[in-house]
Amino acid sequence: MTVADATGPTVTCPDDLDNVSPRAGFDYSLDSESIIRGGAGIFYGRTPTLLFFSAFSDTGVFPRYGNAIVSPGQTGFVPLGDAIDNANPPAGLVPSLSYVHPDFEDPRTTRFNLGYEREVTRDVAASLDVVFARGDLLASNVDANVPAPGRDARGRPVYSGERINPNYGTILVRDSLARSDYVAITAAL
């Protein structure tokens, strides 16, 4: 997808046309009162349009300066309640920008489930189900303009010093690097 207008550069968003979602399931009766069921599948999510729009709106080129983060006393600070003059940014304001990584992929979840159900009485059944889901290619944001971190006394990363490119503030890269795991066991009566 390519987006362009007269006031800014052309922005190309990556296509993701290889999402195949196979799914399978089964249900097997062990006897007249109990069953085993299960399934597996791959599922893809949609990417919010806002993620792509920020690459179009935050180019770092006037008038698309992106998020300019300033503190009182710094160039571009506007006190609460005062009007913001977006048409005439102050000289020396450090712009930010964002872009979508060319290898960006839609988020994917691979899911497996297995369950057992047994009739206890004519109107009551007991069941036990296990679900595992792994999410990968999840949307993530990385500031590509921070220096390598140091460590504090507890080993936590601390970012200090000049930005890699001092002509910009945040250089936000929209990527698909995040991952999640989910495991659940459900008992029901």
Side-chain angles (χ1 to χ4, degrees):
M1 173 175 68
T2 301
V3 180
D5 76 2
T7 63
T10 299
V11 176
T12 301
C13 298
D15 291 326
D16 190 7
L17 305 175
D18 61 350
N19 298 340
V20 177
S21 298
R23 299 165 194 184
F26 71 91
D27 187 357
Y28 179 74
S29 179
L30 297 172
D31 55 42
S32 64
E33 297 176 337
S34 57
I35 61 167
I36 292 178
R37 61 179 171 263
I42 298 175
F43 306 84
Y44 287 89
R46 289 185 257 166
T47 300
T49 306
L50 183 60
L51 186 141
F52 296 122
F53 181 76
S54 65
F56 176 69
S57 66
D58 300 350
T59 63
V61 178
F62 181 77
R64 292 176 163 58
Y65 271 2
N67 296 320
I69 301 171
V70 293
S71 299
Q74 291 181 320
T75 301
F77 179 77
V78 178
L80 185 62
D82 287 3
I84 297 173
D85 186 3
N86 288 325
N88 300 296
L93 182 66
V94 178
S96 294
L97 62 96
S98 73
Y99 68 93
V100 179
H101 193 281
D103 295 332
F104 184 86
E105 296 277 338
D106 285 327
R108 174 178 59 199
T109 300
T110 304
R111 180 182 165 168
F112 303 94
N113 65 289
L114 183 64
Y116 172 77
E117 185 172 331
R118 179 157 182 87
E119 182 179 11
V120 178
T121 67
R122 182 172 171 87
D123 296 327
V124 177
S127 65
L128 184 65
D129 291 275
V130 178
V131 175
F132 171 77
R134 168 160 290 166
D136 63 345
L137 304 174
L138 304 177
S140 58
N141 298 317
V142 176
D143 184 352
N145 200 26
V146 294
R151 298 285 175 180
D152 69 6
R154 296 178 186 239
R156 297 175 294 201
V158 176
Y159 296 90
S160 61
E162 293 293 317
R163 289 198 169 265
I164 295 168
N165 183 341
N167 296 318
Y168 293 98
T170 302
I171 299 178
L172 185 64
V173 181
R174 307 289 190 153
D175 209 340
S176 49
L177 301 172
R179 194 186 100 184
S180 71
D181 287 330
Y182 173 81
V183 177
I185 299 174
T186 306
L189 184 60

